[in-house]
Amino acid sequence: MGTLRGWQHRTPDTGHRTPDTCRPSAGPPVFGLSPEWVLSESGTPVADALVLSHPEQLERLRAACPEAAPTAVLAGDPCFDRILAARPYRDRFRRALGVREGQRLVVLNSTWNPESLFGDGGDQDVLAALLPRLTAELPADEFRIAAVLHPNTWHGHGPGQIRAWLDRARRGGLTLIDPLHSWRQALIAADAVIGDHGAVTYYAAALATPVLLGVAPLDGLDPRSPLAEFVREAPRLDPYAPLRAQLDGLFTAYAAPKGPAELTTSSPGESAALLRRLFYGQIGIPEPEDPALLDPLPLPPYEPPLRTAPLRVLTRLAGPAEITVARYADPRHEPDGEGDAHTAVHEDTLDPGRLALADVILRHGAPDDPRLGTPADWAAEVLARHPHCALAAYVTGPGTCTALTRAGALVRIASAGVDPGAAASALHAWLAAGKSLDELRHHGMTVRTGVTAHRVQVTPVR
């Protein structure tokens, strides 16, 4: 994920070099810059060239280990250069994560030591407790939640254990981002980052993305480093206070610090040329005439949220054919808000017993899936099996679903903006209020999620 040379040394436990036999530094050891890291047992530099991204790192290297300073080469940051080059494609990266109009993407990030946001996987760790609260407390159609965990976290605990720990949040709509190939794209797409003292959080600050620190340990950081300064000054998240108010405050009052943007690299966009010049110089052969280029960031696979946790839905008729909708995934308590409440449950919910109490039952699938029959066949089967259910909606695409009402009306719901499941709940609220489908056939309805209004077409299906 990139290395920030602001860490003090902690003996790694995943196969990294352990420089316990090298000459100790005079002060607190600095990760990557102290004699323990850059000198051999004989006192000579271990590398012919030590690549740094900014002159401030060279200054700290000279202070920590002057013997290694002659090997230092300023060559920028190729990881950050790839991020900068891909920023024009932000909207595509957001669409790849299923972020909709009016939604804010909140990315949680954790580095890999016990003081990180994820910690060591114990019950008291911040992230494991925070993620299901985010998916439960934040309205699903106003916020999109994703998490980037350091590759060593996945390696140390194993993918199965990570997914088991975060199962409730995942069923509530959390997406776990590929920690090798897609984390940069998620960072570009993010509206806010909740993180720690790791490199990904610092890169977010360098992009001027609003950042909240869920944990902020300083013991493992070089106090002179830009990373330590950032951790000291960045706003904090209170993991035990209501989350919506803290995020709203962050979006309203955040002031991007200057340090990360200025000190991540002294040569933005130039690392490929600088590094190639260094490499060919080390080999002793001339450079190719073609320009040095970095691989562009690929477009990630389409990963929209799949919420199989029961949704508590608050609705209110706000005007002629206008319905406000706020959906909360598996909340511990009844959500605050005005209007009527109902429950929408995905057919693949973990507890099938919740389907017996559902007002709306949802399913996602292809319209021609032979296992389920047609959307109309599936919906009829669901209503026959669950007599309490008032509406069954088969979601066939990012903006479409087919819904069958208890009265037997089959309709196609279509919208370019709102989640089809939210539109289905809006239709249920409209009918539950005694309104008729005839009023929607010509002009459709408006579904409002937060401050965003979405036009939705409701078409009868024969």
Side-chain angles (χ1 to χ4, degrees), residues 212-238:
L212 282 175
L213 294 185
V215 294
L218 287 167
D219 292 343
L221 302 181
D222 176 4
R224 301 161 296 177
S225 69
L227 178 58
E229 180 181 4
F230 165 70
V231 170
R232 285 191 293 266
E233 296 179 358
R236 304 290 195 267
L237 174 80
D238 182 350

Side-chain angles (χ1 to χ4, degrees), residues 43-235:
T44 59
V46 297
D48 294 318
L50 179 62
V51 177
L52 306 176
S53 67
H54 197 280
E56 72 82 19
Q57 296 169 4
L58 179 55
E59 294 175 8
R60 289 191 290 120
L61 175 64
R62 286 172 175 154
C65 185
E67 300 94 327
T71 68
V73 179
L74 292 173
D77 185 332
C79 178
F80 194 56
D81 281 354
R82 295 179 74 197
I83 292 173
L84 294 176
R87 293 184 81 179
Y89 306 108
R90 181 174 187 264
D91 287 345
R92 295 182 186 179
F93 299 153
R94 291 172 66 81
R95 289 194 292 269
L97 285 169
V99 180
R100 296 180 177 273
E101 180 186 0
Q103 272 189 318
R104 282 171 161 160
L105 173 62
V106 179
V107 174
L108 290 91
N109 161 247
S110 177
T111 190
W112 62 283
N113 62 42
E115 290 79 29
S116 69
L117 189 62
F118 190 82
D120 58 8
D123 294 338
Q124 302 303 313
D125 292 328
V126 174
L127 189 67
L130 186 62
L131 283 172
R133 285 189 54 214
L134 281 166
T135 55
E137 293 183 25
L138 301 180
D141 300 295
E142 298 176 49
F143 290 90
R144 174 78 169 95
I145 311 298
V148 176
L149 305 181
H150 195 285
N152 285 352
T153 303
W154 288 93
H155 176 76
H157 298 294
Q161 182 63 76
I162 295 293
R163 293 188 175 95
W165 277 330
L166 303 182
D167 178 66
R168 180 169 173 242
R170 292 172 59 229
R171 288 185 284 106
L174 168 75
T175 294
L176 293 173
I177 302 297
D178 185 317
L180 297 178
H181 304 294
S182 300
W183 69 268
R184 301 171 188 83
Q185 298 90 320
L187 204 62
I188 294 168
D191 294 295
V193 169
I194 298 174
D196 53 22
H197 52 303
V200 175
T201 304
Y202 194 80
Y203 280 139
L207 294 172
T209 301
V211 170
L212 282 175
L213 294 185
V215 294
L218 287 167
D219 292 343
L221 302 181
D222 176 4
R224 301 161 296 177
S225 69
L227 178 58
E229 180 181 4
F230 165 70
V231 170
R232 285 191 293 266
E233 296 179 358

Side-chain angles (χ1 to χ4, degrees), residues 364-399:
H364 293 69
D368 56 352
D369 189 331
R371 299 169 300 173
L372 301 171
T374 67
D377 292 338
W378 171 86
E381 178 187 333
V382 166
L383 293 181
R385 182 179 296 119
H386 303 287
H388 178 78
C389 178
L391 185 145
Y394 188 108
V395 179
T396 54

